């Protein structure tokens, strides 16, 4: 599904467009011309559905990078499979890299999520080699495009967002940072922090984001900053934005 001139949606679960496995986050394909990248990788179940969608774009042989926003299962569980299938590097937030390598279910709160019914009890997280670790202020090249790395904890530790300026849009690939109508995802897990969340959203003040490409739900392709500002104003008013879940 082509969203923008240089962005395709190749994976999406029940909190989105049901393009792939129910438990998948949105998986984006960013076309930089000479090379392409995936943003996030889905849960690792029925990964062939994501690969089919990638092949339909005609860009499969250009993909050199799989860029992860964080280590929750729905965003990184498919990274190892996609890395092998596409011969691509996996790039991840430095704080989360070892959890991804070791498939540490406790560190990424998967045990709690399964107990709460978010994943099947028999689901097992698959780890992946992480080739590149990124931190605040780093930049990534995807062909002609540059992505700026922001560390954005709050939803969880080891969460990064990526800002890209394409030919037509300034895009935030925000993972689970902020969503349509200023929603957030706060969960009762050890590394979710309202204070860190507020600080992370504050980094996007006056960022002039056009397309808000979050990890789930509706995807504003214009006026994305409006939705970010709704969350920002709630935090500034000492309140908590509405929760997506």
């Amino acid at each position: 599904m082509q969203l923008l001139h240089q962005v395709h949606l190749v994976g999406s679960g029940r909190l989105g467009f049901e393009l792939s496995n129910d438990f998948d986050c949105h998986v984006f394909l960013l076309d930089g011309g000479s090379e392409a990248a995936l943003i996030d990788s889905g849960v690792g179940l029925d990964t062939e559905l994501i690969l089919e969608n990638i092949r339909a774009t005609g860009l499969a042989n250009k993909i050199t990078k799989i860029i992860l926003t964080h280590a929750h299962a729905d965003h990184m569980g498919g990274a190892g499979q996609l890395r092998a299938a596409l011969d691509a590097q996996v790039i991840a937030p430095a704080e989360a890299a070892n959890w991804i390598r070791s498939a540490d279910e406790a560190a990424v709160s998967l045990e709690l999520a399964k107990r709460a019914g978010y994943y099947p009890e028999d689901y097992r997280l698959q780890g992946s080699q992480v080739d590149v670790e990124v931190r605040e202020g780093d930049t990534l090249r995807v062909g002609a495009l540059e992505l700026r790395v922001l560390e954005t904890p709050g939803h969880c530790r080891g969460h990064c967002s990526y800002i890209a300026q394409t030919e037509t849009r300034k895009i935030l690939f925000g993972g689970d940072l902020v969503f349509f109508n200023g929603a957030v995802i706060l969960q009762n897990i050890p590394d979710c922090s309202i204070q860190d969340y507020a600080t992370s959203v504050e980094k996007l003040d006056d960022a002039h984001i056009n397309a808000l490409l979050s990890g789930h739900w509706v995807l504003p392709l214009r006026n994305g900053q409006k939705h970010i500002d709704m969350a920002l104003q709630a935090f500034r008013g000492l309140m908590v934005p509405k929760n997506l879940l």
Side-chain angles (χ1 to χ4, degrees):
M1 177 189 296
Q2 187 161 4
L3 300 175
L4 299 167
H5 175 56
Q6 292 170 281
V7 182
H8 299 256
L9 186 66
V10 294
S12 182
R14 61 187 177 189
L15 288 179
F17 300 93
E18 297 190 336
L19 293 176
S20 53
N21 187 273
D22 277 353
F23 298 99
D24 284 342
C25 67
H26 292 327
V27 180
F28 302 101
L29 193 165
L30 179 62
D31 180 10
S34 61
E35 63 176 333
L38 297 180
I39 310 293
D40 285 329
S41 66
V43 75
L45 301 172
D46 301 321
T47 299
E48 182 58 33
L49 295 174
I50 294 175
L51 286 166
E52 288 175 7
N53 293 332
I54 290 170
R55 295 184 193 112
T57 69
L59 297 169
N61 64 346
K62 289 187 177 184
I63 295 173
T64 61
K65 297 177 175 71
I66 301 163
I67 303 170
L68 303 178
T69 59
H70 61 294
H72 282 171
D74 53 335
H75 291 256
M76 61 71 56
Q81 295 175 51
L82 290 172
R83 182 181 185 276
L86 300 169
D87 191 25
Q89 288 187 320
V90 170
I91 299 171
E95 187 172 7
N98 282 337
W99 306 334
I100 294 167
R101 292 184 180 107
S102 62
D104 190 333
E105 295 194 1
V108 303
S109 297
L110 180 57
E111 295 172 351
L112 295 173
K114 286 194 285 188
R115 196 177 307 155
Y118 285 108
Y119 297 96
E121 290 185 6
D122 60 354
Y123 171 70
R124 294 294 178 267
L125 185 64
Q126 299 179 50
S128 172
Q129 182 171 329
V130 174
D131 302 283
V132 178
E133 299 180 13
V134 293
R135 296 171 175 81
E136 178 88 14
D138 287 347
T139 57
L140 298 169
R141 298 295 308 185
V142 179
L145 300 177
E146 182 176 274
L147 280 71
R148 179 164 60 92
V149 181
L150 294 177
E151 291 181 356
T152 51
H155 172 69
C156 64
R157 288 172 52 199
H159 189 294
C160 281
S161 301
Y162 305 92
I163 294 178
Q165 179 68 61
T166 71
E167 295 174 5
T168 59
R169 297 283 195 282
K170 190 174 186 181
I171 300 172
L172 176 69
F173 293 102
D176 285 351
L177 177 63
V178 63
F179 301 88
F180 181 80
N181 274 346
V184 297
I185 296 182
L186 289 166
Q187 295 176 285
N188 182 22
I189 57 176
D191 59 339
C192 185
S193 164
I194 293 174
Q195 289 73 32
D196 286 348
Y197 224 136
T199 299
S200 293
V201 175
E202 191 71 42
K203 292 181 180 181
L204 297 171
D205 183 30
D206 204 28
H208 303 289
I209 298 298
N210 304 121
L212 177 58
L213 301 188
S214 305
H216 306 280
W217 204 235
V218 180
L219 299 171
L221 302 181
R222 297 175 57 251
N223 302 319
Q225 189 67 42
K226 174 182 71 175
H227 303 273
I228 296 167
D229 289 346
M230 291 172 70
L232 183 59
Q233 292 308 311
F235 281 129
R236 286 178 173 174
L238 308 184
M239 303 299 288
V240 178
K242 64 180 180 181
N243 209 346
L244 181 63
L245 299 179

